Amino acid sequence: MIQSADQTPSVEIRDAAAPAPAGLPARIQHYIDAEFVDSADGETFDVINPVTNETYIQAAAGKKEDVDRAVAAAKRAFHEGPWSSMLPRERSRVLHRIADLVEERGARLAELESFDTGLPITQALGQGRRAAENFRFFADLIVAQADDTYKVPGRQINYVNRKPIGVAGLITPWNTPFMLESWKLAPALATGNSVVLKPAEFTPLSAGLWAGIFEEAGLPRGVFNLVNGIGEQAGDALVKHPEVPLISFTGESSTGQLIFANAAPHLKGLSMELGGKSPAIVFADADLEAATNATIFGVFSLNGERCTAGSRILVERSIYDEFVRRYAAQAERVRIGYPHQPETEVGALVHPEHFEKVMSYVELGKTEGRLVAGGGRPEGFEAGNFIQPTVFADVPHTARIFQEEIFGPVVAITPFDTEEEALHLANGTKYGLAAYIWTNDLKRSHNFAQAVEAGMVWLNSNNVRDLRTPFGGVKASGLGHEGGYRSIDFYTDQQAVHINLGEVHNPVFGKAD
């Protein structure tokens, strides 16, 4: 709900089930040209605590005028400030200081993130550590970056000169927001760009921490700017801004399609990590205990709100009944609890709108498959956005819960008889982000991995990222790749410079007789 600034700035949360962190701001503001500011028109929107679904704070509702101010500040910093022209080693020192500060403030970051998103506190702490590592990785990579040189001895040298592009527009999602912001901020800043960040409206709280971290680390004024707001307003204005040549977006596929269309008139560079419905394929020769543990973690960690969740599990028929029995029993033992409690494994979904969406799929699943675990709100959690880890077996490939991204703690299990059928089922959705293959047959594992339509594949493993590898999907799961040198490529222009070393070999037009 959009409000004007003269309305009550926040609602105090006193519920012991959802203790509000100490020292919350009176309201969430934009950060433009090194200053915290309200929206130009004074409007705000409600931010909801997912445990109680009460409004606990208002955030500035950015629109075109606010985005214009942020882009102007970023553009000025890019052209007039020192950041874009600094040596890589100088930028690297700042990024390492940022990583240090993120680590030092990890407890506070996790506290805010858990409260704002419903993410279990232990998992929020892990995401903070990953955010620091993202900055450390790109701080090192930008110094080690080597560009191509091509020689034609005695005739020519050709080399590649990399240059930052300008103002990068970063639009981030509400699941693990701080870490995913770091995933974009680190390479964009490492390569010398200025940025405008638009965080998700469901979870804007932790994004404001970047301002203090960047200031203390020595990032120059105007290089980082933050505009909060509704996607259809602030996000749309950022995508359509003619002086923002790059947009990096993480979110659902339908929003990605809209961004693609709105960016097209300006021929913007786009990197989009979109939705997923990733398969986990379990063959009869797999380590059944390891496969069960990994697939439980893969769909129920982060409350099931993860793009790479293995939410379709395909199991060879000879072990199917045993796998379903084990999986359902273990899913029933997953600990549901309040986000701030250390023993919690699944907390509250982020927002009541999302809760209703996931619950609608749970009810649909009861007509499309066999419910073997969960299936509703857990006992003792009458308020908030709590859903039991839910498992459906015997799900046909035509079912909506097999085909559509649910983005919650819900999994569909389907049997297969042959390797060919498994591949057909794995590739049988519009998505292609990740895949997980469980088998001890070396030949089959590699052949299947290369045939599956997924941007990333894990063999006998859960989702363990190596930051040097490309991250991205195929089909409806994304456009482009980031991670490692692919991020450097996206955030820089590569200019080819050709130097003649010998006799000039020019065709001569209009030669005098």
Side-chain angles (χ1 to χ4, degrees), residues 108-125:
R108 175 61 171 174
L109 159 64
E111 181 185 34
L112 296 182
E113 195 87 315
S114 179
F115 179 72
D116 199 30
T117 67
L119 187 69
I121 186 66
T122 53
Q123 295 172 41
L125 285 164

Side-chain angles (χ1 to χ4, degrees), residues 237-245 266 268:
L238 187 58
V239 169
K240 292 178 178 176
H241 201 292
E243 295 180 347
V244 178
H266 303 286
K268 293 177 185 281

Side-chain angles (χ1 to χ4, degrees), residues 303-354:
N303 298 342
E305 298 166 327
R306 56 185 304 166
C307 54
T308 55
S311 56
R312 293 183 295 139
I313 305 179
L314 314 177
V315 183
E316 193 164 1
R317 195 175 298 275
S318 61
I319 62 166
Y320 180 77
D321 290 341
E322 173 66 10
F323 182 89
V324 170
R325 183 190 65 77
R326 286 189 182 211
Y327 196 92
Q330 191 159 332
E332 293 279 10
R333 295 194 298 269
V334 171
R335 291 188 291 274
I336 306 166
Y338 294 112
H340 69 283
Q341 295 174 331
E343 65 273 16
T344 295
E345 294 173 329
V346 171
L349 299 191
V350 68
H351 193 276
E353 288 180 17
H354 186 59

Side-chain angles (χ1 to χ4, degrees), residues 432-444:
L433 187 56
Y436 306 87
I437 302 168
W438 291 88
T439 178
N440 283 318
D441 185 324
L442 183 64
K443 180 179 177 181
R444 174 168 58 196

